[in-house]
Amino acid sequence: MYSRSVKPDKPGLEQQIKMIEAGNIESNSLFELYTALQLPVDLFDLTAGFTIFNLNEIGFKLPFVSSSYRPNFFSFLFVGDGKGRYTIDDQTFEVVPHSIYFTNPSNYRTFSWNEINDIILITFDESFLKKYIGEDVYTDFPFLLTELVRPKVVSDDFFQDVKLINQQLLDTYLRHSPSKYKIIGHLLAVILFQIKEHIWQDYNPIYEGNRSSQIVISFKRLLEQHYRDLSAGKAEIAFRVQDYAFAQNLHPNYLSSVIKSKTGKNITTWISEKSLIEARSLLKNSTRSIKEITYKLGFTETAHFSNFFKKHTGLSPLRYRQSIQQSN
């Protein structure tokens, strides 16, 4: 089992908690939240977008109650032995032994712990999923879009099966290997398939939650499908906000308001992030000119696209393409 050999040089836990208790945290990166809760950031790879820890190694002062925060990452808790509770918006769930708890980047939440003996925490972001599991990850695992999150108590046999995979993940995470995250991606995919089969076999996110939740899920699905179509050449130009609103028979302002309130991100941010991913792919994997890519991604001027791309990557589209070609 994992044991920390180096303790990070940073403020104590109580001081860290005071730093975040001043108010709600709009969006936590993994590193920010781990630092605030004094997780072992000495082993944290800022570029990977994946972590795994056993919470009994962290040193929570029990009973522990977190401040309210809104994460920008997915997480799984595998509770072998422990007690606590999670509150998301106005819903509170007890965490008990042999339960599996899933959360995604969505609403505000708090958590508390009364006992921590054997609890594995796995976190990962969307970029990790897309890079190491696949671009169609939401099609393969639709439950990742869930808005209503409830802990699932599972059978002893199933929990033991998952526990063995978690141990492999822990062991791999602590190794220095050039294939480390490829292996982790495969192991995480195995867990996701196991969970899909045993917990969410018939899950359909469209029928879950209230009207706002359905709007968010429909938007996310359309966003994913549209950019897959762009990549495959089935769509000519990127959708604008009004296009996504029209698809759901909504006013653009109303759609924007729902997306912001439910996810913490503006709809334009969601679209921009997808546009950036597609821009990188087109510059790397196609021979399209910068002008063609500009039009395909919905920019009116090449200069606007170049400024957008450089703002987020530090390189112009041309320099980015050249750097990719030089590295091959």
Side-chain angles (χ1 to χ4, degrees), residues 203-216:
Y203 175 74
N204 187 336
I206 294 299
Y207 300 110
E208 178 201 73
N210 57 29
R211 174 58 177 154
S212 294
S213 296
Q214 293 172 10
I215 288 171
V216 171

Side-chain angles (χ1 to χ4, degrees), residues 100-326:
I100 297 177
Y101 205 107
F102 167 73
T103 66
N104 65 8
S106 56
N107 304 340
Y108 282 109
R109 74 278 313 267
T110 61
F111 63 89
S112 61
W113 293 113
N114 296 316
E115 293 181 18
I116 300 176
N117 297 310
D118 182 20
I119 301 175
I120 297 296
L121 169 65
I122 296 176
T123 66
F124 47 91
D125 60 22
E126 184 178 276
S127 63
F128 184 88
L129 288 174
K130 295 292 184 69
K131 182 175 182 178
Y132 293 105
I133 294 182
E135 291 293 327
D136 294 334
V137 65
Y138 296 124
T139 300
D140 292 332
F141 309 111
F143 62 85
L144 291 174
L145 297 175
T146 183
E147 289 286 313
L148 183 62
V149 183
R150 297 180 182 277
K152 309 286 185 179
V153 178
V154 299
S155 68
D156 292 350
D157 289 343
F158 178 67
F159 195 87
Q160 291 303 318
D161 288 343
V162 174
K163 187 174 183 179
L164 291 174
I165 303 172
N166 283 338
Q167 187 60 55
Q168 288 181 279
L169 278 169
L170 267 170
D171 293 342
T172 305
Y173 184 68
L174 295 175
R175 289 203 301 263
H176 297 287
S177 164
S179 302
K180 172 177 175 176
Y181 288 108
K182 290 182 180 180
I183 296 171
I184 285 175
H186 285 296
L187 291 171
L188 180 61
V190 171
I191 287 182
L192 292 177
F193 275 115
Q194 290 269 39
I195 287 174
K196 176 182 178 180
E197 181 176 336
H198 288 83
I199 298 177
W200 280 296
Q201 186 173 9
D202 301 318
Y203 175 74
N204 187 336
I206 294 299
Y207 300 110
E208 178 201 73
N210 57 29
R211 174 58 177 154
S212 294
S213 296
Q214 293 172 10
I215 288 171
V216 171
I217 292 167
S218 294
F219 165 71
K220 288 181 179 179
R221 288 186 128 188
L222 182 58
L223 185 71
E224 291 292 325
Q225 183 61 53
H226 178 61
Y227 277 85
R228 284 200 298 272
D229 289 345
L230 273 177
S231 179
K234 297 178 181 179
E236 290 298 320
I237 189 170
F239 279 175
R240 299 163 298 174
V241 174
Q242 49 265 46
D243 297 314
Y244 290 103
F246 178 78
Q248 295 197 58
N249 296 314
L250 300 172
H251 191 282
N253 290 345
Y254 179 69
L255 176 62
S256 298
S257 176
V258 170
I259 297 301
K260 171 63 176 177
S261 65
K262 293 290 288 183
T263 71
K265 290 195 298 188
N266 293 320
I267 190 171
T268 52
T269 301
W270 282 97
I271 296 172
S272 293
E273 288 175 350
K274 291 298 180 186
S275 293
L276 184 62
I277 292 172
E278 181 64 14
R280 283 174 166 156
S281 178
L282 288 170
L283 290 167
K284 180 180 180 180
N285 301 312
S286 81
T287 58
R288 290 176 183 266
S289 67
I290 304 299
K291 185 176 181 179
E292 288 177 306
I293 294 173
T294 296
Y295 171 77
K296 191 176 185 68
L297 296 180
F299 292 88
T300 56
E301 300 286 344
T302 302
H304 295 164
F305 169 61
S306 295
N307 290 337
F308 163 80
F309 192 84
K310 189 170 184 179
K311 177 183 176 181
H312 290 90
T313 67
L315 296 173
S316 69
L318 180 59
R319 185 70 190 92
Y320 177 82
R321 174 172 273 174
Q322 290 172 342
S323 68
I324 294 296
Q325 293 172 344
Q326 291 169 2

